[in-house]
Amino acid sequence: MIDDLDLGFDEPERGEKGRHRRGFRKRKSGSGGGRGKTFLALLMALLLLGTIGGGAFYGFDRIQNYFVTPDYDGGGTGEVTVEIKNGALLADMADALVAADVVKSQKAFIEAADANSRSKNIQPGTYKLRKQMSGANAVTAMLDLKNKIVNGLTIPEGRTSFNIYKLLSEKTKIPVKDFQAAAKDPEGLGVPDWWFKRDDGKKSVKSIEGFLFPDTYEIPPKATAESILKLMVNRFLSVTGEMKFADQVQEKRKVSPYEALIVASLAQAEAGNKDDLGKVARVAYNRAYGEFPCNCLEMDVTVNYYLESIGKPTKTSGQMTAAELDDEKNPYNRKLRGMIPTPINNPGKEALDGAMNTPPGKWLYFVAIDKQGHSAFAENYEQQLRNEDRARAAGVIK
């Protein structure tokens, strides 16, 4: 029986013919228990090794994924467009590429980007890429501006929403009426409700005016009027959020963010030079909330905004009639007490900063005094008249 066999070898033993041979020796009685356990352990070990071996073959792919980054091989096939949004991090880019099946895994793109020192130059926008590219090839393709679909449009500071709709329509061929329809619901475009709250006791008028941030935008190929306006509102919220605009104007100026946004739009319209944005904003605050006799803004730009809103051409101050200047039906009447209902354009970052960080001063008047657009500021009308003489001498006004 197997139990009686010794799995070790005997010492050499001389046979009958004097030759050496190796053989098994018999176990002595009573010694089989330990030897049996040894053999059983060995047998179990062999079986276990066999099982592990089979399992290793079965799960090789899964185990390998822990050590090898899932990645496609080569330059890919076909064509697909992918949008990289403003502010996207590498992980966000990778997610967009995985969703479009450009790269096989987020890790493949991030590792390839980390290995390429130029990857930091990847810009937001829409790219024409291939499906199933290696991470390295995807990075290289996104660094090649030939693969970037350029459909950019610059919105200048101080444009009204009416003017912006025309610019957008010319660029995208989307009808102006589509932008007008989308703009009727500012909150639907992303403007939080609290932005329309006022501290001056006046009725809140919800308008998209002021929230279409001036910047250069990449318009996606399949954009709609609503998606484009949302893009601009989102940019406004990002910029004002970074500036802490809402908190700062309440703390420093003691007005609601919406009223400060109106002041920023007034400064954007009236200042002839960026150096004067803060001072013009101070004049607006002083007139509407300070010691100005009528507590009104008395700025012709508010009249022009009303004219544009009803489809009439804008005019210079000299062209405006007394009836237009003081039309009581005009909610933006320059003699209206306090602050006007809404912003009158879409101010840029510097105008927003001017409304937030206004310099100290009791100025109530200003007038441009040189061809570069710089203004002189006055605390009373006598000073203003002297500044107007300077402006005439410089040929700025007649």
Side-chain angles (χ1 to χ4, degrees), residues 207-222:
S207 167
I208 197 61
E209 201 73 73
F211 297 100
L212 302 177
F213 191 77
D215 205 343
T216 297
Y217 293 92
E218 287 290 336
I219 310 297
K222 297 181 181 180

Side-chain angles (χ1 to χ4, degrees), residues 114-164:
D114 287 341
N116 190 326
S117 61
R118 293 181 57 238
S119 65
K120 61 181 180 294
N121 297 323
I122 296 176
Q123 304 170 1
T126 303
Y127 291 84
K128 190 181 293 184
L129 303 170
R130 293 180 177 275
K131 287 192 172 186
Q132 300 187 355
M133 306 176 76
S134 69
N137 278 322
V139 170
T140 301
M142 295 177 74
L143 287 169
D144 186 349
L145 294 181
K146 292 180 182 177
N147 296 316
K148 192 168 186 282
I149 300 174
V150 179
N151 195 24
L153 174 63
T154 298
I155 304 297
E157 291 90 344
R159 296 297 179 95
T160 64
S161 59
F162 319 118
N163 185 267
I164 289 174

Side-chain angles (χ1 to χ4, degrees), residues 165-278:
Y165 301 154
K166 292 177 183 176
L167 290 175
L168 291 171
S169 181
E170 289 170 3
K171 179 68 177 179
T172 64
K173 308 306 177 187
I174 298 172
V176 168
K177 64 180 182 179
D178 289 6
F179 290 102
Q180 293 171 332
K184 289 180 180 179
D185 183 13
E187 291 175 74
L189 295 174
V191 182
D193 176 70
W194 59 263
W195 258 104
F196 297 107
K197 294 179 180 178
R198 302 178 65 130
D199 293 339
D200 61 356
K202 291 196 172 186
K203 182 182 178 181
S204 174
V205 178
K206 295 184 178 181
S207 167
I208 197 61
E209 201 73 73
F211 297 100
L212 302 177
F213 191 77
D215 205 343
T216 297
Y217 293 92
E218 287 290 336
I219 310 297
K222 297 181 181 180
T224 63
E226 183 179 4
S227 69
I228 294 171
L229 296 187
K230 280 183 175 180
L231 187 68
M232 299 178 75
V233 169
N234 186 60
R235 182 71 179 132
F236 169 87
L237 296 175
S238 296
V239 171
T240 53
E242 290 168 3
M243 295 173 67
K244 295 183 169 52
F245 181 83
D247 292 333
Q248 291 292 312
V249 295
Q250 290 176 94
E251 180 183 335
K252 295 178 179 180
R253 303 278 70 84
K254 309 302 180 186
V255 298
S256 72
Y258 195 55
E259 292 164 74
L261 179 59
I262 295 172
V263 169
S265 74
L266 292 167
Q268 188 76 75
E270 287 281 9
N273 190 287
K274 66 179 182 180
D275 297 336
D276 293 334
L277 286 166

Side-chain angles (χ1 to χ4, degrees), residues 270-273 276 280 365-378 384-398:
E270 287 281 9
N273 190 287
D276 293 334
V280 174
Y365 304 93
F366 61 94
V367 62
I369 56 170
D370 61 33
K371 298 293 179 65
Q372 289 72 45
H374 292 98
S375 293
F377 293 80
Q384 171 69 0
L385 290 176
R386 289 195 291 272
N387 289 335
E388 288 180 3
D389 288 338
R390 292 173 60 191
R392 288 189 189 91
V396 178
I397 62 173
K398 295 180 180 180

